[in-house]
């Protein structure tokens, strides 16, 4: 017996195919990495953050989506894509100009 229903399976059932994530890196920091609460990350992401294919947070969200769509779409022959924002509990964000 499974104790949870993976979100990836839900999306595959809903859309009839695997849905690939498009990581979006927003400017900010995590208190589990920046020293406020700790360093080195937590159980939810590696020390470098969630989404190893994330681009620089200096790129706009539309630029990141376009670049990752082209890269991930070609690499995995993906038809269904969904943006995933690098949002971590208690994330602290910088204001963009």
């Amino acid at each position: 017996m499974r104790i949870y229903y993976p979100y990836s399976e839900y999306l595959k059932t809903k859309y009839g195919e695997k849905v690939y994530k498009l990581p979006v890196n927003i400017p900010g920091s995590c208190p589990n990495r920046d020293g406020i609460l700790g360093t080195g990350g937590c159980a939810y992401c590696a020390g470098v953050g969630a989404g190893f294919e994330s681009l620089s947070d200096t790129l706009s969200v539309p630029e990141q989506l376009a670049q990752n769509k082209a890269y991930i779409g070609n690499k995995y022959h993906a038809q269904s894509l969904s943006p995933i924002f690098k949002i971590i509990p208690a994330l602290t964000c910088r204001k963009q100009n």
Side-chain angles (χ1 to χ4, degrees):
M1 181 176 99
R2 289 192 312 189
I3 57 173
Y4 69 94
Y5 182 45
Y7 187 59
S8 60
E9 285 185 32
Y10 164 78
L11 291 174
K12 189 172 185 178
T13 300
K14 181 172 177 131
Y15 297 106
E17 63 187 348
K18 180 172 174 59
V19 177
Y20 290 84
K21 297 179 216 170
L22 290 177
V24 177
N25 193 7
I26 59 174
S29 179
C30 171
N32 291 312
R33 291 196 319 255
D34 66 9
I36 292 173
L37 296 177
T39 59
C42 65
Y44 299 103
C45 68
V48 297
F52 292 108
E53 293 173 322
S54 290
L55 298 169
S56 170
D57 65 10
T58 60
L59 294 173
S60 71
V61 169
E63 289 172 315
Q64 289 184 60
L65 288 172
Q67 287 185 30
N68 274 326
K69 181 178 180 181
Y71 175 74
I72 292 169
N74 290 333
K75 182 176 180 178
Y76 300 106
H77 306 288
Q79 298 299 311
S80 295
L81 302 155
S82 176
I84 298 294
F85 291 87
K86 186 187 96 175
I87 297 177
I88 303 165
L91 182 75
T92 55
C93 295
R94 296 187 313 265
K95 182 179 176 183
Q96 280 188 319
N97 294 334

